[in-house]
Amino acid sequence: MTSARILLVVAVLALAGTAQSAKILGVIPSGGKSHHFVGAAYTKALAEAGHDVTVIAAFREKNAPKNYREIVMDDLYKTLLKFMENPFEFPEIPPLMHLYMMYTEFGKFSSEFTLNHPEVKELMESGETFDLVIVETFLTEAIYGMAQHFNASLVTYSTLGNILWTRELTRSPAPTSHVANFILNYVDSMTFWERVWNTIVDWSDRLMYNTLHLPVQKQLYEQAFPNAKISFEGQMKNVSLVLLNSHFSLSSPRPYPPNVIEAGGIQIEKVKPLPEDLKKFLDGAKDGAIYFSMGSYLKSEQFPIEKRDAFIKVFSRMKQRIVWKFEDESIPNLPKNVLIKPWMPQNDILAHPNVKVFITHGGLLGGTEALFHGKPVVGIPIFGDQTMNVQRAVKTGYGVELLYKDITEKNVENALNKVLGDPKYAKTAQLISQRYHDKPMSAKETALFWIEYVLRHRGAPQLRSPALELSFFQYLALDVYGVLATITLAVSLILYWAVKSFLRNVCGTKPKKSKKVD
């Protein structure tokens, strides 16, 4: 770290420190472990900064700070898994059906579970107040009502980038000409027909969100907060800050209003020493190593036997060592160069210099960690934004895609040989890593500064875009275009009839005089 950067960080943190210790409520309602990692990174950073933090979440934190109170919803994760009974079927679901299922089957799950939890209800009935509420934006709009309930400012964070759910809170512009819907496998540069399909999907997404999802969230809001000080629609407009799990160096530059802050990589902690067996295994990988993980939702043990064996046969012929997050440690005839464990310290493994490739499902957290450490990827996308993330890796040049339906021994070998055999993939990943690290503050420092900015300025209404006060038709200027089109049509008709009348009078023949009859 340069001396100039050190001085800047010290100055910023000194300014942030002027915010007095505040009472903060963090709500991490999704139940997924990857989502929890992001939410907990924010809440722990706030506690470490001296704030009094209460957290509603599905998992308990190990070694939590003393000023960190937890309300743990123990059954949330188990309930969530019911929606993911066979996740490997998702790649075959068309995008529009995927969106429909998300809004109708999964849409109200997190909000309803959280707001009806007995300990959460007890907290809401306690008469306690908070200075700030921070909630995940993941189909959880009803939970935003906790802010008005506790007389607090509202900050939300997204485990994804700036998608429809966050844009509705801030009115960030996102033209479909170059901003692809997260459910598609497109990136910025789209062909004409890709832009057509992207526009259809994006408008369908908006229609389903507003007609299928938001009415349900509004109903949950009104049930949970019958004496709400502001309406559901008013609370949606009353968001002080939106934190995104993205960064322009990792994805794409976007035009954001001041209350949208990129904090991609907030979950990445300081690299810790590896467990001794992992350290010995990776240190001895003189020809390099491969790390393989399908994330927290997806489990490698759920692979059909033929797909699992395709990987094992390829791995057995490789000179590299493989570290595989595999939940069943009883695999028979496992090659000696493969080490499996049901849980892996992913960030610490990716930081190891001998790791050359990351086989991943394409989740945003793992992808960010891979680029943070400059590692190329082989992506096997299954659902959600994973397809887009993997396509970004392909088109940017730091990864290749291996479709789930195409997992065979030959295709696995070709994908790995392509990334391992061509140095351009590693060089591109390292270049992106350099760009990501070249910034004045870390993701955690950036998030902490802006959250405390909201505290210092009592909600910081000066950050919000005036576009929030416009209706959807006003925001897109459809009313203006409608009036201009009407005026243009009216003027055109007037000119048409005027010219027609003029030509008839000038060029027309005079009427013949009738003959007199004697």
Side-chain angles (χ1 to χ4, degrees):
M1 183 183 292
T2 65
S3 57
R5 185 177 183 274
I6 291 172
L7 289 173
L8 177 59
V9 171
V10 169
V12 168
L13 293 180
L15 178 59
T18 60
Q20 295 180 350
S21 177
K23 287 191 65 178
I24 296 175
L25 175 63
V27 187
I28 309 173
S30 293
K33 292 181 179 178
S34 59
H35 291 254
H36 179 85
F37 294 151
V38 176
Y42 288 116
T43 54
K44 286 191 292 186
L46 289 164
E48 290 164 1
H51 299 289
D52 183 10
V53 179
T54 298
V55 180
I56 301 169
F59 307 98
R60 191 175 301 278
E61 286 300 307
K62 296 179 180 179
N63 304 316
K66 292 181 179 179
N67 51 330
Y68 198 87
R69 176 175 51 150
E70 294 177 286
I71 297 174
V72 181
M73 301 182 290
D74 295 305
D75 293 332
L76 181 57
Y77 180 60
K78 293 179 181 178
T79 308
L80 175 67
L81 291 179
K82 294 179 181 178
F83 290 95
M84 307 290 289
E85 290 181 357
N86 195 353
F88 290 111
E89 292 180 350
F90 277 87
E92 304 304 319
I93 300 175
L96 291 180
M97 179 57 67
H98 198 149
L99 287 170
Y100 178 81
M101 291 171 59
M102 184 171 59
Y103 288 131
T104 56
E105 296 182 18
F106 183 73
K108 70 174 184 176
F109 163 69
S110 296
S111 295
E112 187 173 45
F113 192 100
T114 302
L115 293 172
N116 288 329
H117 193 275
E119 291 186 59
V120 174
K121 284 187 172 183
E122 184 179 341
L123 177 67
M124 290 195 294
E125 295 168 1
S126 66
E128 190 171 353
T129 61
F130 293 91
D131 300 300
L132 184 137
V133 173
I134 178 169
V135 185
E136 181 183 6
T137 294
F138 196 81
L139 304 176
T140 50
E141 290 81 2
I143 300 176
Y144 302 164
M146 287 189 176
Q148 59 80 31
H149 180 81
F150 291 115
N151 298 311
S153 300
L154 177 60
V155 171
T156 70
Y157 66 90
S158 170
T159 51
L160 305 175
N162 192 34
I163 62 176
L164 175 63
W165 315 331
T166 55
R167 293 199 300 267
E168 285 296 288
L169 304 176
T170 62
R171 285 291 166 85
S172 302
T176 57
S177 57
H178 70 279
V179 178
N181 190 281
F182 80 100
I183 210 72
L184 298 174
N185 63 341
Y186 302 157
V187 288
D188 292 348
S189 300
M190 292 178 271
T191 65
F192 171 77
W193 290 112
E194 285 176 340
R195 284 186 281 118
V196 169
W197 182 233
N198 183 53
T199 300
I200 292 171
V201 171
D202 197 73
W203 280 80
S204 300
D205 186 8
R206 183 179 297 278
L207 178 64
M208 285 188 272
Y209 177 75
N210 282 282
T211 60
L212 299 177
H213 176 69
L214 284 186
V216 174
Q217 292 292 313
K218 181 177 180 179
Q219 184 180 28
L220 291 173
Y221 179 97
E222 292 173 347
Q223 289 173 355
F225 310 105
N227 302 313
K229 302 176 183 66
I230 57 177
S231 67
F232 174 75
E233 293 79 10
Q235 184 65 79
M236 288 278 287
K237 294 179 181 179
N238 200 32
V239 178
S240 297
L241 188 69
V242 175
L243 298 159
L244 303 179
N245 187 30
S246 61
H247 190 266
F248 64 86
S249 63
L250 305 178
S251 52
S252 301
R254 295 282 184 257
Y256 297 134
N259 66 336
V260 178
I261 302 298
E262 292 190 313
I266 183 74
Q267 84 284 358
I268 302 176
E269 299 181 345
K270 184 178 179 180
V271 176
K272 298 182 289 294
L274 288 168
E276 189 58 35
D277 58 340
L278 268 174
K279 183 179 185 304
K280 183 178 179 181
F281 188 78
L282 289 174
D283 286 348
K286 303 305 180 184
D287 294 308
I290 297 167
Y291 174 55
F292 186 3
S293 172
M294 292 298 289
S296 56
Y297 279 132
L298 302 167
K299 299 183 186 302
S300 294
E301 69 173 353
Q302 294 175 321
F303 277 131
I305 293 177
E306 66 274 12
K307 295 185 185 296
R308 182 199 69 185
D309 288 348
F311 284 107
I312 292 175
K313 289 176 182 178
V314 173
F315 292 158
S316 68
R317 297 194 297 267
M318 300 186 74
K319 59 183 179 179
Q320 290 81 13
R321 292 185 174 183
I322 291 85
V323 176
W324 190 355
K325 179 184 173 293
F326 200 99
E327 296 72 24
D328 182 2
E329 296 184 86
S330 63
I331 300 179
N333 303 318
L334 195 68
K336 292 182 179 180
N337 64 330
V338 178
L339 174 66
I340 63 172
K341 284 181 176 293
W343 177 87
M344 294 284 186
Q346 181 163 287
N347 184 57
D348 306 325
I349 292 173
L350 290 171
H352 197 285
N354 286 345
V355 173
K356 304 302 180 185
V357 179
F358 178 24
I359 305 177
T360 172
H361 63 307
L364 189 55
L365 270 65
T368 301
E369 290 162 9
L371 288 174
F372 183 90
H373 297 293
K375 310 294 184 179
V377 303
V378 171
I380 309 172
I382 303 299
F383 62 87
D385 65 325
Q386 296 165 12
T387 302
M388 175 185 282
N389 297 335
V390 172
Q391 275 301 304
R392 183 177 291 116
V394 172
K395 294 185 179 180
T396 306
Y398 64 89
V400 300
E401 182 177 49
L402 175 62
L403 295 177
Y404 175 76
K405 66 182 180 64
D406 294 336
I407 293 177
T408 62
E409 190 176 341
K410 179 181 178 181
N411 290 337
V412 170
E413 188 168 33
N414 288 343
L416 286 171
N417 287 341
K418 189 173 183 180
V419 178
L420 287 167
D422 192 337
K424 75 174 185 179
Y425 292 101
K427 287 180 179 178
T428 302
Q430 290 158 12
L431 176 62
I432 296 173
S433 179
Q434 292 170 8
R435 293 172 179 171
Y436 174 74
H437 283 86
D438 190 4
K439 53 186 178 181
M441 292 188 292
S442 68
K444 184 178 292 187
E445 291 163 348
T446 300
L448 184 60
F449 172 82
W450 285 105
I451 292 172
E452 292 191 329
Y453 181 95
V454 170
L455 287 167
R456 288 194 298 273
H457 295 278
R458 301 180 182 276
Q462 67 271 21
L463 295 178
R464 296 175 202 160
S465 170
L468 286 167
E469 302 305 319
L470 302 176
S471 68
F472 178 70
F473 285 93
Q474 291 171 326
Y475 175 70
L476 294 179
L478 296 179
D479 53 345
V480 174
Y481 292 137
V483 170
L484 291 177
T486 301
I487 293 173
T488 301
L489 178 62
V491 171
S492 299
L493 288 173
I494 291 171
L495 288 174
Y496 170 77
W497 288 112
V499 170
K500 184 177 181 181
S501 178
F502 173 79
L503 291 175
R504 185 171 61 245
N505 291 333
V506 172
C507 302
T509 56
K510 294 182 179 179
K512 295 181 180 180
K513 292 182 180 180
S514 57
K515 294 181 180 181
K516 293 182 179 180
V517 179
D518 294 336

